[in-house]
Amino acid sequence: MPELPEVETVRRGLERTVLGQMIAQVDVSLPKIVKSGAEALQLSLVGNAFTSIERRGKLLLFSLKEGDESVLVHLKMTGQLIFEPAVRKNVDKSIGSGERVFGGHPHPAFDSALPGSYTHLIVTFESGDQLFYNDLRQFGYWQLATVQDRARALSKFGVEPLSSHFTEEHFEQLLATSSRSVLKSFLLNQQKIAGLGNIYVDEACFHARVRPTRLVGSLEPREKRALFQAIRHVLSRSVELRGTTFRDYLNVGGNTGNYADELKVYGRAKKFCLRCEATNVSKIKFQGRGTHFCAKCQL
DNA sequence: GTACTTGTTGAACG
DNA sequence: TCGTTCAACAAGTA
């Protein structure tokens, strides 16, 4: 599932490929994906170009060369953005030979034929390059946003956990104002810290040796510091490795490993704890979310 | 057929 | 007001 590291990886990939390219065509096969209406999006994009791509939390914001509108894209749970260069289509379809750039949910496979049965939107550039939006569960969206829409969307996000604004002091302040919250709820709250999702919350809690079911107000100073370090560590390491959902891509590119190989508790229910090796990882349904922890290591 | 999964929003509740 | 819980969105997997 795309969380901050996955979305950041997509952002970086697209920054290298689509910026400045003149948009020739926008095809929308599932209109409900475009929150602001497919026609308005097409009108605004065709003949225009993306000039920058920013990320806030898990939201991507594309700025446009003409006009002051921007395009907001959220992958939610199963969205994928795949950039397909024109040359690839005529030269070689074998994996790894092109410069296909992609990210998001790993199913369907990133190297499957495009457009696929889950392709809902295609941006075609004058160069012949194409940007495909796939979304199996159709929860994600595209939105042509006015300056006000954009500001409203941005106002809902808390601090970027990998930015210089996210300091230990800042984190402690956040904790102090949420002492009555459950830790997992607090960490998942995008208005407090932007970009953490279910996977990295469980991972960060494991690294910090704190159970996600704890009340924020019960955390010792030592545990708060450990959590701060854990959040930074887990996210930055995953960005380095291009996220958790990029196994296929990394193998193709010849890179070693990806963050899925470094997950310590997520998806390890009933398997031995990688720290104490004495206890099996617990998985419970907590606040509606699958929650993993080691009952021995995390108090 | 049933349960389960996931991010986010919004409504309902104490 | 605040925090939590639940439903909703969709569809594949076990």
Side-chain angles (χ1 to χ4, degrees), chain A residues 118-279:
Chain A
Y118 303 116
T119 301
H120 306 311
L121 191 151
I122 306 170
V123 177
T124 304
F125 300 95
E126 285 202 336
S127 63
D129 292 352
Q130 291 185 300
L131 178 61
F132 294 84
Y133 178 73
N134 295 343
D135 194 345
L136 187 145
R137 292 183 201 167
Q138 310 174 9
F139 285 5
Y141 65 83
W142 285 54
Q143 178 189 6
L144 182 67
T146 63
V147 174
Q148 292 86 342
D149 292 334
R150 181 183 168 115
R152 200 178 312 125
L154 289 178
S155 71
K156 292 177 184 168
F157 289 105
V159 63
E160 280 291 324
L162 292 181
S163 75
S164 57
H165 300 291
F166 187 59
T167 60
E168 201 168 312
E169 292 70 32
H170 189 143
F171 182 58
E172 279 174 18
Q173 283 171 18
L174 285 175
L175 289 168
T177 59
S178 304
S179 60
R180 289 183 309 267
S181 298
V182 171
L183 180 58
K184 179 140 186 173
S185 302
F186 167 79
L187 293 174
L188 283 173
N189 188 342
Q190 305 297 301
Q191 299 183 47
K192 306 287 184 184
I193 302 170
L196 283 173
N198 203 37
I199 296 173
Y200 296 106
V201 166
D202 281 6
E203 290 297 308
C205 287
F206 177 83
H207 281 266
R209 310 187 71 154
V210 175
R211 214 177 282 201
T213 55
R214 284 274 292 280
L215 219 51
V216 168
S218 76
L219 296 173
E220 306 287 339
R222 164 182 55 82
E223 294 173 321
K224 295 177 185 174
R225 285 194 296 275
L227 256 180
F228 173 78
Q229 297 297 339
I231 292 168
R232 297 282 292 219
H233 167 78
V234 164
L235 290 179
S236 57
R237 180 71 181 142
S238 186
V239 168
E240 260 176 52
L241 295 178
R242 309 181 135 225
T244 295
T245 53
F246 286 70
R247 168 168 274 134
D248 298 334
Y249 174 70
L250 288 170
N251 289 346
V252 164
N255 295 299
T256 57
N258 81 61
Y259 204 75
D261 300 325
E262 301 208 5
L263 293 176
K264 296 291 191 287
V265 278
Y266 190 88
R268 287 188 54 81
K270 296 180 183 171
K271 294 179 183 169
F272 66 93
C273 167
L274 290 171
R275 177 184 284 124
C276 69
E277 299 185 349
T279 308

Side-chain angles (χ1 to χ4, degrees), chain A residues 11-23:
Chain A
R11 191 193 70 77
R12 292 179 184 182
L14 293 180
E15 200 167 50
R16 286 190 287 112
T17 49
V18 305
L19 290 192
Q21 287 221 48
M22 180 80 86
I23 297 166

Side-chain angles (χ1 to χ4, degrees), chain A residues 4-45:
Chain A
L4 187 154
E6 291 76 26
V7 178
E8 177 62 18
T9 302
V10 176
R11 191 193 70 77
R12 292 179 184 182
L14 293 180
E15 200 167 50
R16 286 190 287 112
T17 49
V18 305
L19 290 192
Q21 287 221 48
M22 180 80 86
I23 297 166
Q25 199 176 328
V26 176
D27 296 293
V28 181
S29 50
L30 186 68
K32 72 161 190 177
I33 285 289
V34 186
K35 266 168 65 170
S36 51
E39 284 185 23
L41 181 73
Q42 288 163 327
L43 272 174
S44 185
L45 288 190

